[in-house]
Amino acid sequence: MDTSPRPAKRLRLESPFPPPNEFLCPVCCDDEPPAVFRLRCNHSFCKPCWQSYVTTKIKEEGQCTFRCMHEGCP
């Protein structure tokens, strides 16, 4: 029986930041964002890009569940 903890269903705000030059937001190409979100699929986005994505999904598309923004991510 596997006793390892299950991954959280919520997004995680990484803290502390990844070392310099190790993160590049795939949406805006910012390499020094104010914060970084990592999803369960291990794709990461800067906080402003993720907030914009979520806001658009809610306000313009009426969605309440979100998928990863990374192209081809299941």
Side-chain angles (χ1 to χ4, degrees):
M1 180 176 194
D2 184 15
T3 59
S4 59
R6 294 178 47 180
K9 291 186 178 182
R10 297 178 187 215
L11 301 176
R12 295 183 185 152
L13 178 62
E14 291 182 355
S15 179
F17 292 111
N21 301 323
E22 283 196 23
F23 176 77
L24 179 67
C25 179
V27 177
C28 69
C29 299
D30 188 352
D31 61 353
E32 294 184 14
V36 176
F37 279 100
R38 175 170 285 148
L39 287 77
R40 285 189 298 161
C41 60
N42 287 323
H43 291 120
S44 299
F45 304 94
C46 72
K47 183 178 178 179
C49 285
W50 185 254
Q51 285 178 322
S52 177
Y53 173 73
V54 169
T55 300
T56 299
K57 289 291 186 184
I58 293 170
K59 289 185 176 180
E60 295 178 14
E61 298 178 23
Q63 293 186 9
C64 61
T65 57
F66 315 104
R67 300 190 79 168
C68 177
M69 291 190 288
H70 194 273
E71 187 175 332
C73 184

